[in-house]
Amino acid sequence: MAAQVIRAGLLTTVQDLGRYGAQRFGVPVSGAMDRYSLRVANRLVGNADRAAALEITLVGPVLQFDSDTLIALCGGDLDAVVGDKPLPMNRPVWIARGSRLAFGQCLTGCRAYLALAGGVDVPEVLGSRSTYLRAGFGGLQGRALKAGDRIELIGVSESYFPGLRESQAFSDEGFAAPNWSVRVDAERLMLQPQRVRFVAGRHWQHLPSGVRKRFVGENFRVGAASDRMGYRLEGVDLDKHGFGDIASEAVAFGTIQLPPDGNPIVLMADRQTIGGYPRVGEVASVDLPLLAQLKPGDTLRFERIGLGEAQRLFHLQRSALAQIGTSIMAAGSQ
Amino acid sequence: MVISTNTDLSFSPLGDRALLVEVGDHADPETVARIRELADHLARLDLPGVLDFVPALCTIGVHYDPEQWRDESKVRTPYERLVARIQEALPDLESLGVSEGPLREIPVCYEAEFGEDLTALANAHELSIEQVIQIHSGAVYTVYMIGFAPGFAYLGPLDERLALPRRETPRARVPAGSVAVANQYTGIYPADLPGGWHIIGRTPLQLFDSSHDRPSLLSAGDRVQFVPIGAAEFRDLRTGQ
């Protein structure tokens, strides 16, 4: 046992790194929208990167802990509090039995990741614990959390950051956290328009030059109908491009589709496996976490980079994550 | 950026963590069969860091982890290294025997309670209901691709005498098992889904079950024939599952 859901929040789902291996059967990958934050949160509590955690969207839940639990909260700042104290982010937190974790308003970003030591215990479906809402499988009974649900954990790590549980704060405040945190570029998260780098796809050269020019020169706005499946971008008149449907082919996380109305759709975690619209290209993986933190009304501007550069930046991000992981492990045993 | 080979396959990046292998330039049963053989062949190679193969109408998508294909000397990108590895491993396409996929019989009840649009379709083409059923169930279709929803198979080619553009207003809910047509395709809704295809019948079979390792009854490249059944048999088969 770990926690009881008192209030569910707007959209709180169980997610991991996604469901691979069944896309040929039309099964979407799903998984966390901001996988970088999920990985960091998991490492902070001693979990494997692929452990299932809670993805919390805009308006967070209220959770009542019924056992001492090591948690970590990363990603967007959704104003988490325990009692009247803010819950510090991007660090390990031992939260005491009986404590209540609540969320206020969305301060930065749009999604927070709550990792719990041991990982959320829901059955694996096709190799993943991610929730796929549209088809109603994975996660907790294929749906978002609701009041009354119980969050069970697979195992409990008693030995990670043991010192925190012995601190005065743990008994007085109901939680204890170190005074350090994993370094996150909070300013980058607040940048408007957000810079989103992309790699041109094979249709890029066939798009009219006017469309290409406006695509990289102007600011887009994230539309209200954006969700885990795709971000609808508005505000730039790309014209009708005269490029009809194409023979449907595989899409990726970050594929930028251009439907006939000229409003691009960036495919996100719950995207379908194939698509029949022409594509501008794909968002560089290194920038997907930032894109996933944009909410309706936020603005972004695309910047074109080469494939080699995108793969190099992705490697640098992974290397930074590995370093963070090593530091956490060193601190965790003390 | 596009890498061509002597076996008329071409490769192109699909962002920094996936690539496309283009096998043909238009969808037909032969291209689909070639894609099936090639995808199976690629899957058997068990390439490190390759996460998914996604066969579609003319292409195979390959999702991979670029970290597993890094060249420490940085001469080639992970994309170029993986493409080179696939090219090395690919047999000559001509020598790769292209066999037909397995034939699967799908029972369908075309009665009015299930085939809501059957009469309208028959009227639109000036055919009798019996003729529509005969044409639809008389052909052997190829699964062109799986997409739109988990386990949703696009079957083609559909006889031109039954072709009709999608409904102007899609239905909010098409019941699971519904057999429908649109444009050059026929298909089966694997779950209750919104949809704009014309519904002409329903199968009692379950097309998708996420609790199975192989969750979809149909795979790209399979061949399908519809077998008309009555309402009583529909209910028997339904209960028997």
Side-chain angles (χ1 to χ4, degrees):
Chain A
M1 281 195 299
Q4 174 117 23
V5 179
I6 307 296
R7 278 214 313 264
L10 183 65
L11 177 65
T12 305
T13 58
V14 177
Q15 300 293 346
D16 59 17
L17 290 178
R19 185 171 281 116
Y20 282 98
Q23 282 194 83
R24 69 180 189 280
F25 299 124
V27 179
V29 175
S30 301
M33 291 279 276
D34 172 358
R35 278 145 150 89
Y36 185 81
S37 295
L38 171 73
R39 285 176 188 270
V40 173
N42 269 329
R43 286 182 183 221
L44 282 165
V45 298
N47 288 349
D49 284 13
R50 64 183 294 270
L54 298 184
E55 180 178 276
I56 297 166
T57 318
L58 289 166
V59 180
V62 176
L63 304 174
Q64 171 94 30
F65 285 81
D66 48 26
S67 55
D68 294 353
T69 308
L70 179 64
I71 62 171
L73 189 65
C74 295
D77 186 348
L78 305 187
D79 195 15
V81 293
V82 174
D84 55 1
K85 296 258 179 201
L87 183 92
M89 293 182 65
N90 303 307
R91 68 195 77 192
V93 180
W94 267 103
I95 189 158
R97 175 173 180 219
S99 292
R100 190 173 273 215
L101 172 62
F103 290 80
Q105 54 181 323
C106 176
L107 300 173
T108 62
C110 135
R111 288 166 234 276
Y113 292 84
L114 181 68
L116 302 99
V120 177
D121 187 12
V122 291
E124 281 200 354
V125 175
L126 296 168
S128 164
R129 296 188 166 85
S130 289
T131 313
Y132 178 49
L133 293 169
R134 243 164 243 265
F137 61 76
L140 196 73
Q141 298 163 23
R143 58 168 172 79
L145 298 195
K146 60 178 201 228
D149 283 341
R150 304 202 48 75
I151 295 165
E152 309 281 349
L153 301 179
I154 291 173
V156 182
S157 160
E158 296 284 338
S159 58
Y160 217 52
F161 295 104
L164 294 176
R165 283 177 86 183
E166 286 147 22
S167 67
Q168 196 61 43
F170 187 71
S171 39
D172 291 352
E173 317 282 358
F175 72 94
N179 55 14
W180 56 267
S181 70
V182 169
R183 191 176 160 275
V184 289
D185 192 351
E187 283 177 18
R188 174 86 201 269
L189 199 61
M190 287 186 275
L191 201 65
Q192 295 278 330
Q194 187 59 259
R195 177 189 60 156
V196 175
R197 290 164 288 191
F198 78 103
V199 179
R202 62 201 196 116
H203 301 146
W204 173 258
Q205 291 304 331
H206 302 294
L207 293 171
S209 63
V211 169
R212 295 203 302 257
K213 207 168 152 189
R214 281 195 293 281
F215 185 78
V216 293
E218 296 183 28
N219 296 342
F220 288 92
R221 191 177 59 245
V222 177
S226 301
D227 58 14
R228 281 182 44 87
M229 188 173 176
Y231 274 23
R232 287 162 188 277
L233 304 183
E234 305 167 343
V236 179
D237 183 13
L238 290 177
D239 300 333
K240 296 208 191 293
H241 45 72
F243 200 120
D245 286 2
I246 56 152
S248 289
E249 57 191 33
V251 296
F253 197 165
T255 290
I256 307 159
Q257 291 187 326
L258 201 52
D261 70 4
N263 292 317
I265 300 171
V266 188
L267 300 179
M268 303 297 281
D270 279 350
R271 68 199 172 277
Q272 293 170 9
T273 53
I274 53 173
Y277 290 129
R279 301 95 186 270
V280 176
E282 273 72 29
V283 171
S285 295
V286 67
D287 284 344
L288 285 174
L290 282 165
L291 180 62
Q293 290 293 350
L294 296 186
K295 55 186 170 294
D298 285 347
T299 56
L300 69 150
R301 179 188 284 255
F302 286 106
E303 182 183 312
R304 189 181 165 198
I305 59 172
L307 174 62
E309 176 70 353
Q311 293 191 320
R312 192 183 68 82
L313 291 168
F314 181 66
H315 173 66
L316 291 179
Q317 192 178 51
R318 280 298 164 83
S319 303
L321 183 73
Q323 274 183 9
I324 290 170
T326 308
S327 311
I328 294 169
M329 271 173 72
S333 54
Q334 287 163 21
Chain B
M1 196 66 92
V2 175
I3 300 172
S4 293
T5 70
N6 52 4
T7 54
D8 71 2
L9 292 180
S10 61
F11 294 81
S12 53
L14 180 67
D16 50 26
R17 288 190 291 174
L19 59 87
L20 283 174
V21 187
E22 195 168 0
V23 179
D25 57 9
H26 68 282
D28 58 30
E30 199 199 314
T31 304
V32 170
R34 271 153 52 104
I35 285 173
R36 185 177 69 93
E37 293 283 346
L38 203 57
D40 286 354
H41 186 80
L42 286 173
R44 280 194 298 272
L45 293 175
D46 216 8
L47 296 167
V50 170
L51 304 166
D52 250 326
F53 294 100
V54 189
L57 293 175
C58 304
T59 54
I60 302 170
V62 182
H63 294 266
Y64 67 98
D65 176 6
E67 290 294 275
Q68 303 259 353
W69 291 89
R70 256 173 55 76
D71 177 1
E72 292 300 334
S73 67
K74 295 175 188 163
V75 177
R76 290 187 299 173
T77 62
Y79 165 73
E80 288 163 338
R81 291 191 73 213
L82 178 55
V83 168
R85 178 72 185 82
I86 292 174
Q87 281 177 314
E88 264 168 42
L90 277 188
D92 196 314
L93 258 198
E94 302 308 320
S95 72
L96 192 68
V98 176
S99 58
E100 288 185 314
L103 179 67
R104 307 196 189 273
E105 293 191 341
I106 307 271
V108 181
C109 179
Y110 291 95
E111 289 186 21
E113 60 176 306
F114 300 130
E116 287 181 61
D117 300 327
L118 187 58
T119 308
L121 181 77
N123 292 342
H125 291 288
E126 294 178 354
L127 295 167
S128 68
I129 285 176
E130 291 69 28
Q131 283 172 313
V132 172
I133 296 171
Q134 202 174 34
I135 296 168
H136 188 255
S137 61
V140 174
Y141 302 99
T142 299
V143 178
Y144 277 14
M145 59 180 173
I146 310 275
F148 169 61
F152 188 98
Y154 289 78
L155 305 166
L158 178 69
D159 194 303
E160 280 176 16
R161 287 173 290 170
L162 301 184
L164 211 57
R166 276 181 285 199
R167 291 163 55 90
E168 286 200 2
T169 311
R171 288 187 171 89
R173 179 182 166 277
V174 175
S178 291
V179 175
V181 298
N183 300 316
Q184 72 272 41
Y185 296 115
T186 180
I188 311 162
Y189 284 82
D192 292 351
L193 290 165
W197 291 25
H198 306 271
I199 306 169
I200 60 171
R202 198 183 299 176
T203 177
L205 298 188
Q206 190 176 355
L207 272 292
F208 183 84
D209 183 348
S210 64
S211 69
H212 289 179
D213 284 345
R214 197 197 134 94
S216 172
L217 184 68
L218 300 174
S219 289
D222 286 359
R223 291 173 311 135
V224 168
Q225 180 149 28
F226 294 108
V227 181
I229 57 169
E233 202 180 339
F234 178 93
R235 284 179 232 290
D236 285 352
L237 286 168
R238 187 62 163 250
T239 346
Q241 276 194 15

